[in-house]
Amino acid sequence: QVQLVESGGGLVQAGGSLRLSCAASGSIFSPNTMGWYRQAPGKQRNLVATITHYGNTNYADSVKGRFTISRDNAKNTVYLQMNNVKPEDTAIYYCNLRWVITRNYWGQGTQVTVSS
């Protein structure tokens, strides 16, 4: 089994920065893709960014140029550096790890609230 634990969420002022971390543990297959998704009240859970084992990244258009995803393969940890945050970024942020569609794991989520 795989467990993901997020940290770093909290309250931040618009224009500020926040760094999320997610550490994975358990029976993790490599290579894999890790990422961040977010869900605001009343909305679907949507992609924020993903990163492959090899460092290939994919970002939602809404966060391009502001957020940076990175990972430490040795630590099975993924990060999300959030810069110039906006109130629209307010959501629960979920860490994700997957390697096939049947092996797709989620963290508990961490709340990010951006005040204006």
Side-chain angles (χ1 to χ4, degrees):
Q1 193 61 40
V2 174
Q3 185 174 28
L4 304 173
V5 179
E6 301 104 331
S7 62
L11 177 65
V12 63
Q13 188 177 356
S17 297
L18 203 64
R19 191 189 192 216
L20 306 183
S21 299
C22 172
S25 61
S27 300
I28 303 169
F29 178 83
S30 182
N32 59 67
T33 297
M34 300 185 75
W36 293 94
Y37 294 71
R38 65 188 182 187
Q39 186 169 21
K43 296 185 178 180
Q44 294 183 339
R45 188 176 300 182
N46 293 319
L47 167 77
V48 177
T50 61
I51 183 167
T52 70
H53 181 86
Y54 309 99
N56 301 302
T57 58
N58 182 38
Y59 294 92
D61 288 341
S62 59
V63 307
K64 287 180 180 177
R66 300 189 298 119
F67 293 4
T68 302
I69 190 169
S70 61
R71 65 185 289 166
D72 185 330
N73 291 337
K75 297 180 179 179
N76 289 319
T77 300
V78 64
Y79 307 93
L80 185 69
Q81 179 65 47
M82 306 168 62
N83 295 330
N84 191 25
V85 296
K86 303 176 180 180
E88 307 92 271
D89 296 321
T90 296
I92 301 174
Y93 283 69
Y94 296 92
C95 179
N96 174 262
L97 184 151
R98 59 179 167 86
W99 56 89
V100 292
I101 58 173
T102 56
R103 294 291 183 269
N104 186 29
Y105 302 93
W106 297 94
Q108 290 286 96
T110 185
Q111 178 70 46
V112 172
T113 302
V114 182
S115 62
S116 60

mmCIF file of all heavy atoms in Angstrom, residues 66-87:
data_model
loop_
_atom_site.group_PDB
_atom_site.id
_atom_site.type_symbol
_atom_site.label_atom_id
_atom_site.label_comp_id
_atom_site.label_asym_id
_atom_site.label_seq_id
_atom_site.Cartn_x
_atom_site.Cartn_y
_atom_site.Cartn_z
ATOM 1 N N ARG A 66 3.674 30.765 -12.289
ATOM 2 C CA ARG A 66 3.553 31.100 -10.877
ATOM 3 C C ARG A 66 3.943 29.942 -9.970
ATOM 4 O O ARG A 66 4.554 30.150 -8.928
ATOM 5 C CB ARG A 66 2.127 31.538 -10.547
ATOM 6 C CG ARG A 66 1.670 32.767 -11.320
ATOM 7 C CD ARG A 66 0.334 33.282 -10.798
ATOM 8 N NE ARG A 66 -0.735 32.293 -10.966
ATOM 9 C CZ ARG A 66 -1.421 31.760 -9.973
ATOM 10 N NH1 ARG A 66 -1.164 32.112 -8.715
ATOM 11 N NH2 ARG A 66 -2.384 30.879 -10.216
ATOM 12 N N PHE A 67 3.568 28.735 -10.360
ATOM 13 C CA PHE A 67 3.850 27.558 -9.547
ATOM 14 C C PHE A 67 4.958 26.738 -10.188
ATOM 15 O O PHE A 67 5.085 26.682 -11.415
ATOM 16 C CB PHE A 67 2.618 26.669 -9.412
ATOM 17 C CG PHE A 67 1.477 27.265 -8.632
ATOM 18 C CD1 PHE A 67 1.519 28.565 -8.150
ATOM 19 C CD2 PHE A 67 0.347 26.498 -8.391
ATOM 20 C CE1 PHE A 67 0.458 29.101 -7.434
ATOM 21 C CE2 PHE A 67 -0.721 27.019 -7.676
ATOM 22 C CZ PHE A 67 -0.666 28.315 -7.201
ATOM 23 N N THR A 68 5.723 26.072 -9.360
ATOM 24 C CA THR A 68 6.768 25.180 -9.829
ATOM 25 C C THR A 68 6.684 23.861 -9.076
ATOM 26 O O THR A 68 6.701 23.844 -7.844
ATOM 27 C CB THR A 68 8.167 25.785 -9.636
ATOM 28 O OG1 THR A 68 8.257 27.032 -10.333
ATOM 29 C CG2 THR A 68 9.233 24.846 -10.178
ATOM 30 N N ILE A 69 6.588 22.779 -9.818
ATOM 31 C CA ILE A 69 6.583 21.460 -9.209
ATOM 32 C C ILE A 69 7.975 20.853 -9.326
ATOM 33 O O ILE A 69 8.669 21.045 -10.330
ATOM 34 C CB ILE A 69 5.515 20.545 -9.847
ATOM 35 C CG1 ILE A 69 5.349 19.254 -9.040
ATOM 36 C CG2 ILE A 69 5.839 20.255 -11.307
ATOM 37 C CD1 ILE A 69 4.142 18.425 -9.463
ATOM 38 N N SER A 70 8.378 20.142 -8.305
ATOM 39 C CA SER A 70 9.663 19.474 -8.318
ATOM 40 C C SER A 70 9.552 18.201 -7.491
ATOM 41 O O SER A 70 8.566 17.997 -6.778
ATOM 42 C CB SER A 70 10.774 20.386 -7.776
ATOM 43 O OG SER A 70 10.509 20.760 -6.431
ATOM 44 N N ARG A 71 10.556 17.357 -7.593
ATOM 45 C CA ARG A 71 10.527 16.122 -6.811
ATOM 46 C C ARG A 71 11.927 15.675 -6.460
ATOM 47 O O ARG A 71 12.903 16.015 -7.137
ATOM 48 C CB ARG A 71 9.777 15.012 -7.560
ATOM 49 C CG ARG A 71 10.428 14.553 -8.852
ATOM 50 C CD ARG A 71 9.536 13.531 -9.566
ATOM 51 N NE ARG A 71 9.500 12.250 -8.863
ATOM 52 C CZ ARG A 71 8.620 11.281 -9.104
ATOM 53 N NH1 ARG A 71 7.679 11.456 -10.030
ATOM 54 N NH2 ARG A 71 8.678 10.148 -8.411
ATOM 55 N N ASP A 72 11.994 14.910 -5.410
ATOM 56 C CA ASP A 72 13.217 14.284 -4.964
ATOM 57 C C ASP A 72 12.955 12.786 -5.009
ATOM 58 O O ASP A 72 12.275 12.239 -4.134
ATOM 59 C CB ASP A 72 13.586 14.742 -3.557
ATOM 60 C CG ASP A 72 14.924 14.216 -3.088
ATOM 61 O OD1 ASP A 72 15.332 13.120 -3.506
ATOM 62 O OD2 ASP A 72 15.577 14.903 -2.284
ATOM 63 N N ASN A 73 13.469 12.126 -6.022
ATOM 64 C CA ASN A 73 13.182 10.706 -6.205
ATOM 65 C C ASN A 73 13.707 9.853 -5.058
ATOM 66 O O ASN A 73 13.078 8.867 -4.667
ATOM 67 C CB ASN A 73 13.769 10.219 -7.528
ATOM 68 C CG ASN A 73 13.067 10.800 -8.730
ATOM 69 O OD1 ASN A 73 11.906 11.213 -8.638
ATOM 70 N ND2 ASN A 73 13.746 10.832 -9.864
ATOM 71 N N ALA A 74 14.859 10.214 -4.530
ATOM 72 C CA ALA A 74 15.439 9.450 -3.437
ATOM 73 C C ALA A 74 14.570 9.496 -2.193
ATOM 74 O O ALA A 74 14.552 8.549 -1.401
ATOM 75 C CB ALA A 74 16.842 9.955 -3.125
ATOM 76 N N LYS A 75 13.852 10.596 -2.010
ATOM 77 C CA LYS A 75 13.001 10.764 -0.842
ATOM 78 C C LYS A 75 11.533 10.480 -1.125
ATOM 79 O O LYS A 75 10.704 10.580 -0.220
ATOM 80 C CB LYS A 75 13.135 12.183 -0.287
ATOM 81 C CG LYS A 75 14.521 12.531 0.221
ATOM 82 C CD LYS A 75 14.555 13.962 0.748
ATOM 83 C CE LYS A 75 15.935 14.308 1.276
ATOM 84 N NZ LYS A 75 15.992 15.706 1.773
ATOM 85 N N ASN A 76 11.213 10.150 -2.375
ATOM 86 C CA ASN A 76 9.819 9.951 -2.773
ATOM 87 C C ASN A 76 8.950 11.131 -2.340
ATOM 88 O O ASN A 76 7.856 10.955 -1.800
ATOM 89 C CB ASN A 76 9.261 8.647 -2.204
ATOM 90 C CG ASN A 76 9.841 7.428 -2.874
ATOM 91 O OD1 ASN A 76 10.023 7.397 -4.090
ATOM 92 N ND2 ASN A 76 10.130 6.401 -2.083
ATOM 93 N N THR A 77 9.451 12.298 -2.600
ATOM 94 C CA THR A 77 8.791 13.514 -2.164
ATOM 95 C C THR A 77 8.583 14.454 -3.341
ATOM 96 O O THR A 77 9.475 14.606 -4.183
ATOM 97 C CB THR A 77 9.604 14.224 -1.073
ATOM 98 O OG1 THR A 77 9.740 13.353 0.055
ATOM 99 C CG2 THR A 77 8.923 15.509 -0.623
ATOM 100 N N VAL A 78 7.418 15.058 -3.392
ATOM 101 C CA VAL A 78 7.104 16.041 -4.415
ATOM 102 C C VAL A 78 6.790 17.361 -3.728
ATOM 103 O O VAL A 78 6.237 17.393 -2.620
ATOM 104 C CB VAL A 78 5.930 15.575 -5.310
ATOM 105 C CG1 VAL A 78 4.635 15.448 -4.510
ATOM 106 C CG2 VAL A 78 5.750 16.510 -6.498
ATOM 107 N N TYR A 79 7.143 18.455 -4.397
ATOM 108 C CA TYR A 79 6.951 19.784 -3.851
ATOM 109 C C TYR A 79 6.164 20.638 -4.833
ATOM 110 O O TYR A 79 6.188 20.418 -6.042
ATOM 111 C CB TYR A 79 8.297 20.465 -3.588
ATOM 112 C CG TYR A 79 9.246 19.654 -2.744
ATOM 113 C CD1 TYR A 79 10.180 18.806 -3.334
ATOM 114 C CD2 TYR A 79 9.214 19.732 -1.357
ATOM 115 C CE1 TYR A 79 11.055 18.059 -2.564
ATOM 116 C CE2 TYR A 79 10.088 18.989 -0.583
ATOM 117 C CZ TYR A 79 11.000 18.154 -1.186
ATOM 118 O OH TYR A 79 11.867 17.414 -0.416
ATOM 119 N N LEU A 80 5.500 21.613 -4.292
ATOM 120 C CA LEU A 80 4.849 22.615 -5.116
ATOM 121 C C LEU A 80 5.184 23.979 -4.542
ATOM 122 O O LEU A 80 4.723 24.334 -3.457
ATOM 123 C CB LEU A 80 3.333 22.419 -5.154
ATOM 124 C CG LEU A 80 2.583 23.363 -6.098
ATOM 125 C CD1 LEU A 80 2.908 23.026 -7.557
ATOM 126 C CD2 LEU A 80 1.076 23.292 -5.862
ATOM 127 N N GLN A 81 5.997 24.720 -5.270
ATOM 128 C CA GLN A 81 6.316 26.079 -4.891
ATOM 129 C C GLN A 81 5.280 26.993 -5.519
ATOM 130 O O GLN A 81 5.170 27.070 -6.743
ATOM 131 C CB GLN A 81 7.722 26.464 -5.360
ATOM 132 C CG GLN A 81 8.130 27.884 -5.013
ATOM 133 C CD GLN A 81 8.251 28.103 -3.526
ATOM 134 O OE1 GLN A 81 8.865 27.296 -2.833
ATOM 135 N NE2 GLN A 81 7.668 29.188 -3.028
ATOM 136 N N MET A 82 4.536 27.667 -4.687
ATOM 137 C CA MET A 82 3.450 28.519 -5.133
ATOM 138 C C MET A 82 3.858 29.970 -4.913
ATOM 139 O O MET A 82 3.983 30.419 -3.779
ATOM 140 C CB MET A 82 2.161 28.211 -4.368
ATOM 141 C CG MET A 82 1.763 26.737 -4.415
ATOM 142 S SD MET A 82 0.437 26.316 -3.247
ATOM 143 C CE MET A 82 -0.899 27.342 -3.846
ATOM 144 N N ASN A 83 4.054 30.683 -6.002
ATOM 145 C CA ASN A 83 4.418 32.089 -5.935
ATOM 146 C C ASN A 83 3.308 32.946 -6.516
ATOM 147 O O ASN A 83 2.535 32.495 -7.358
ATOM 148 C CB ASN A 83 5.715 32.348 -6.698
ATOM 149 C CG ASN A 83 6.912 31.670 -6.084
ATOM 150 O OD1 ASN A 83 6.972 31.471 -4.873
ATOM 151 N ND2 ASN A 83 7.889 31.317 -6.915
ATOM 152 N N ASN A 84 3.273 34.187 -6.072
ATOM 153 C CA ASN A 84 2.262 35.129 -6.548
ATOM 154 C C ASN A 84 0.871 34.502 -6.496
ATOM 155 O O ASN A 84 0.123 34.504 -7.478
ATOM 156 C CB ASN A 84 2.594 35.591 -7.965
ATOM 157 C CG ASN A 84 1.737 36.756 -8.425
ATOM 158 O OD1 ASN A 84 1.223 37.530 -7.614
ATOM 159 N ND2 ASN A 84 1.564 36.877 -9.744
ATOM 160 N N VAL A 85 0.530 33.984 -5.354
ATOM 161 C CA VAL A 85 -0.750 33.295 -5.224
ATOM 162 C C VAL A 85 -1.907 34.277 -5.336
ATOM 163 O O VAL A 85 -1.780 35.460 -5.025
ATOM 164 C CB VAL A 85 -0.838 32.505 -3.906
ATOM 165 C CG1 VAL A 85 0.201 31.395 -3.894
ATOM 166 C CG2 VAL A 85 -0.659 33.416 -2.699
ATOM 167 N N LYS A 86 -3.024 33.756 -5.798
ATOM 168 C CA LYS A 86 -4.232 34.532 -5.999
ATOM 169 C C LYS A 86 -5.367 33.934 -5.178
ATOM 170 O O LYS A 86 -5.333 32.753 -4.839
ATOM 171 C CB LYS A 86 -4.621 34.531 -7.480
ATOM 172 C CG LYS A 86 -3.551 35.045 -8.418
ATOM 173 C CD LYS A 86 -3.996 34.905 -9.866
ATOM 174 C CE LYS A 86 -2.934 35.416 -10.812
ATOM 175 N NZ LYS A 86 -3.360 35.270 -12.237
ATOM 176 N N PRO A 87 -6.386 34.729 -4.870
ATOM 177 C CA PRO A 87 -7.539 34.171 -4.152
ATOM 178 C C PRO A 87 -8.149 32.968 -4.861
ATOM 179 O O PRO A 87 -8.669 32.065 -4.195
ATOM 180 C CB PRO A 87 -8.520 35.351 -4.093
ATOM 181 C CG PRO A 87 -7.648 36.550 -4.096
ATOM 182 C CD PRO A 87 -6.504 36.201 -5.012
#
